[in-house]
Amino acid sequence: MDMGIVIDLTKAKTITHDARRTARAAEFAPLDVKATIPSEAAAAEAARASIRTKYAEMQIAVDTAIDVAALKTIMESLV
């Protein structure tokens, strides 16, 4: 009897969340510097708000994913 590979969805979600957090931090990094420059602070904060929204929506998608295929799609969007 071939059992194939069994993927733990909960662990896969944790891995996806970790990748999401890493990608979010990478997008924030240059804006963190710009936020300290008075002439660029407002634009940096607007960009940061957009990033927060993007990754909040992604977090919901990960939390509500019902299969590995959905998580794979999310992971591919992070590359």
Side-chain angles (χ1 to χ4, degrees):
M1 185 163 102
D2 182 21
M3 297 286 292
I5 297 173
V6 178
I7 297 174
D8 182 327
L9 188 60
T10 301
K11 287 183 182 180
K13 285 182 178 186
T14 299
I15 292 167
T16 305
H17 275 308
D18 289 345
R20 177 188 57 79
R21 288 182 193 102
T22 299
R24 181 179 185 261
E27 283 193 50
F28 268 135
L31 297 172
D32 290 343
V33 173
K34 287 184 178 183
T36 64
I37 303 168
S39 64
E40 296 186 32
E45 186 51 40
R48 288 161 55 124
S50 175
I51 291 169
R52 278 190 214 86
T53 300
K54 171 185 169 182
Y55 286 98
E57 290 170 357
M58 194 177 295
Q59 180 173 349
I60 292 167
V62 172
D63 289 340
T64 60
I66 59 172
D67 58 21
V68 174
L71 295 177
K72 182 179 178 186
T73 301
I74 293 166
M75 290 291 283
E76 288 171 347
S77 75
L78 295 172
V79 180

